[in-house]
């Protein structure tokens, strides 16, 4: 179960790598941040302390990866780093980056998890807020379906179906636990058909993609081009689960519920989060307490839609809205 306290890292930690789509070198530093800060990206190359909050209302593109942006500051391919932060139980950090895309590293979340472990973790005095699902919510988009149902924890079930001999239909379920995520999901890499990668190259995309950071599925659809093969026999669905966990971090606080996603990608993940925002009678925002109980925060004002933007102030310390504690 969740620790009732928020957490940040003990010490700043840095890495350098290539952006998968831009092909540009990016220097990235993760720094400790105060209670209720959440996750913020700072584009140091743009000056003027320009930042982008890691929230769903900041998503500006979901083609190929999840991109957030505000006031001209853009940060692409955020999902693997966000999954690492979520699985490392980190709530509050500031991330400085001098490019428009998070480094792809080896195509998984594992390098970021190792980075965060090297920085250490600090428990903070502030208490955690969780989004608890109380009634099922279903989102559909053509042949994609994502459903979340009440669950006393965070569970994810992913399913994909491809018309080839290598992937076929794969399903994976994980009852979320940091150690289990690190062992079963974190090392799963992004993937694509080799001709799709070639097409992306021809269109000025995936310029940083190599066999060191992408699983390239052979033209024959029965093998991969990577010399080291697959890290897991079902690495494809495990990476889809990784992406889903990373994208759901953009809700602004951990989710209590069982999410089941069928043939979903980044665009559908965003649509699913918007469906949650549009169903306030199906969830409640709670603040954990040290004694193992929780206080329910007024759901009517915790999440509101303002014109085309979603405003989800989970980290604004709205203690005056708390209702009587419940165990």
């Amino acid at each position: 179960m969740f620790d009732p306290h928020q957490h940040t890292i003990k010490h700043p930690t840095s890495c350098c790598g290539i952006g998968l789509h831009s092909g540009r070198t990016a220097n990235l530093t993760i720094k400790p941040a105060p209670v209720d800060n959440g996750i913020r990206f700072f584009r140091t190359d743009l000056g003027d302390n320009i930042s982008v909050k890691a929230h769903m209302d900041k998503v500006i593109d979901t083609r190929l990866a999840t991109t957030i942006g505000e006031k001209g500051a853009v940060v692409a391919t955020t999902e693997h780093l966000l999954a690492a932060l979520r699985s490392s139980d980190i709530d509050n950090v500031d991330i400085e980056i001098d490019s428009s895309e998070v480094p792809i590293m080896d195509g998984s979340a594992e390098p970021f998890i190792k980075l965060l472990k090297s920085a250490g973790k600090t428990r903070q005095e502030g208490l955690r807020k969780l989004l608890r699902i109380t009634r099922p919510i279903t989102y559909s988009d053509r042949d994609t379906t994502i459903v979340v149902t009440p669950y006393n924890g965070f569970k994810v079930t992913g399913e994909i179906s491809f018309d080839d001999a290598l992937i076929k239909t794969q399903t994976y379920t994980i009852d979320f636990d940091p150690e289990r995520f690190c062992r079963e999901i974190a090392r799963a890499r992004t993937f694509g058909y080799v001709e799709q990668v070639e097409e992306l190259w021809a269109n000025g995309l995936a310029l940083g993609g190599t066999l060191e950071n992408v699983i390239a599925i052979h033209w024959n659809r029965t093998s991969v081009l990577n010399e080291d093969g697959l890290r897991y026999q079902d690495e494809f669905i495990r990476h889809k689960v990784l992406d889903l966990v990373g994208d759901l971090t953009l809700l602004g606080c951990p989710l209590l519920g069982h999410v089941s996603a069928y043939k979903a990608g980044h665009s559908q993940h965003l649509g699913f989060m918007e469906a949650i925002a549009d169903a306030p009678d199906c969830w409640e925002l709670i603040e954990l307490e040290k004694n193992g109980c929780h206080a329910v925060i007024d759901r009517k004002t915790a999440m509101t839609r303002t014109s085309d933007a979603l405003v989800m102030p989970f980290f604004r310390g709205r203690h005056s809205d708390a209702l009587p504690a419940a165990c």
Side-chain angles (χ1 to χ4, degrees):
M1 197 56 184
F2 292 96
D3 187 306
H5 290 271
Q6 296 178 34
H7 289 74
T8 188
I9 58 175
K10 286 184 179 179
H11 311 288
T13 183
S14 301
C15 67
C16 177
I18 302 297
L20 174 61
H21 297 293
S22 67
R24 299 171 186 161
T25 299
N27 294 286
L28 183 147
T29 299
I30 308 172
K31 294 184 173 182
V35 167
D36 293 336
N37 179 85
I39 301 167
R40 297 187 300 171
F41 287 86
F42 288 82
R43 284 289 304 275
T44 58
D45 56 317
L46 299 180
D48 298 325
N49 208 34
I50 296 178
S51 67
V52 185
K53 192 88 168 180
H55 271 187
M56 56 182 278
D57 60 307
K58 306 303 181 186
V59 175
I60 59 173
D61 197 347
T62 54
R63 294 169 297 175
L64 304 177
T66 297
T67 300
I68 59 176
E70 185 175 23
K71 297 179 181 178
V74 173
V75 183
T77 318
T78 59
E79 57 272 12
H80 301 168
L81 175 54
L82 292 178
L85 288 164
R86 174 68 183 84
S87 65
S88 300
D89 218 22
I90 300 296
D91 304 282
N92 304 304
V93 289
D94 284 338
I95 302 166
E96 295 181 349
I97 183 169
D98 65 358
S99 184
S100 61
E101 187 176 16
V102 174
I104 189 61
M105 309 307 279
D106 72 345
S108 77
E110 184 180 48
F112 294 121
I113 290 177
K114 289 181 177 179
L115 198 66
L116 292 168
K117 284 184 177 180
S118 73
K121 186 167 64 174
T122 296
R123 175 186 283 188
Q124 299 174 292
E125 284 302 312
L127 298 173
R128 273 207 174 108
K129 300 173 181 65
L130 305 179
L131 182 66
R132 183 169 67 179
I133 300 300
T134 56
R135 296 171 57 189
I137 301 172
T138 300
Y139 167 80
S140 297
D141 178 23
R142 290 169 291 184
D143 57 348
T144 294
T145 301
I146 308 179
V147 179
V148 61
T149 54
Y151 184 73
N152 190 30
F154 178 44
K155 181 187 287 189
V156 175
T157 296
E159 182 176 352
I160 53 175
S161 182
F162 286 78
D163 188 20
D164 62 56
L166 181 62
I167 302 179
K168 301 179 183 177
T169 297
Q170 296 183 359
T171 304
Y172 202 86
T173 297
I174 180 168
D175 200 335
F176 198 85
D177 171 84
E179 291 185 4
R180 186 175 175 190
F181 183 92
C182 190
R183 183 174 64 250
E184 300 179 20
I185 302 295
R187 299 184 67 242
R189 297 160 293 175
T190 192
F191 62 92
Y193 294 118
V194 66
E195 66 269 22
Q196 291 177 329
V197 177
E198 292 174 334
E199 182 180 355
L200 290 171
W201 283 340
N203 287 280
L205 296 171
L207 300 178
T210 71
L211 294 180
E212 299 299 317
N213 53 42
V214 175
I215 301 172
I217 301 170
H218 198 284
W219 294 274
N220 63 22
R221 299 294 191 266
T222 62
S223 61
V224 298
L225 296 181
N226 309 68
E227 290 186 4
D228 59 347
L230 297 175
R231 293 177 174 176
Y232 311 97
Q233 184 177 0
D234 55 354
E235 188 167 357
F236 308 102
I237 182 56
R238 295 190 193 214
H239 186 78
K240 287 290 189 178
V241 170
L242 188 159
D243 279 347
L244 178 57
V245 171
D247 284 344
L248 289 180
T249 304
L250 296 172
L251 280 169
C253 68
L255 178 72
L256 278 177
H258 180 190
V259 179
S260 299
Y262 174 70
K263 299 179 71 171
H266 299 296
S267 297
Q268 290 79 26
H269 298 165
L270 177 61
F272 171 62
M273 289 187 285
E274 291 173 342
I276 293 176
D278 288 334
D281 291 335
C282 298
W283 54 265
E284 60 188 10
L285 190 63
I286 65 174
E287 183 172 75
L288 299 181
E289 297 184 348
K290 297 178 182 179
N291 61 4
C293 299
H294 65 265
V296 179
I297 299 174
D298 181 6
R299 74 179 97 184
K300 301 300 182 184
T301 55
M303 185 185 296
T304 58
R305 182 183 290 275
T306 305
S307 64
D308 294 327
L310 290 173
V311 181
M312 306 175 68
F314 290 142
F315 293 97
R316 295 185 183 175
R318 296 167 37 77
H319 302 293
S320 61
D321 296 323
L323 299 178
C327 295

